[in-house]
Amino acid sequence: MQERRSQRRITDAELVMIVWDDNGTRLCQVGNEENLSANGVGIIADYSLAVGTPVAITYGEGELAGVVRRCAPTLEGHLVGVEFVGSSRESELVRLRR
């Protein structure tokens, strides 16, 4: 399979919180960061999220903004692919892990 990503991915295993709004209700779930690049992050989570959902990814050092671009079932739950938006592409977390 040909690699389609424009940025190198770093394999990682950090706990993060995924936060999103659903009809005015703030929802969240814990996930395990699988990989990270300057463009986005892959997270294993228990529940699926709809493609196009704006999310905040919170972690020990701060928060990143993104949009769900992919969500697929796995043996561990769901692999949620999030594309970073705005200044999150150049966050300190992303720069430190490059």
Side-chain angles (χ1 to χ4, degrees):
M1 177 182 266
Q2 181 180 352
E3 178 62 55
R4 298 181 306 164
R5 295 183 179 105
S6 61
Q7 298 289 324
R8 178 176 71 96
R9 291 263 168 177
I10 299 169
T11 303
D12 203 359
E14 295 271 334
L15 285 178
V16 297
M17 183 71 70
I18 306 169
V19 181
W20 72 100
D21 287 325
D22 184 21
N23 293 322
T25 302
R26 185 175 179 176
L27 302 173
C28 60
Q29 69 173 315
V30 174
N32 190 11
E33 176 192 328
E34 262 312 275
N35 55 60
L36 175 74
S37 79
N39 293 333
V41 61
I43 300 169
I44 298 292
D46 289 337
Y47 305 103
S48 67
L49 286 165
V51 171
T53 302
V55 295
I57 310 297
T58 61
Y59 57 95
E61 297 105 34
E63 182 173 288
L64 299 168
V67 176
V68 175
R69 294 296 182 208
R70 179 175 190 269
C71 189
T74 68
L75 293 175
E76 298 88 18
H78 291 84
L79 177 58
V80 180
V82 176
E83 178 184 13
F84 294 139
V85 295
S87 62
S88 292
R89 287 181 179 260
E90 292 302 318
S91 75
E92 186 68 20
L93 173 70
V94 173
R95 281 186 296 207
L96 288 174
R97 294 192 185 173
R98 283 187 194 167

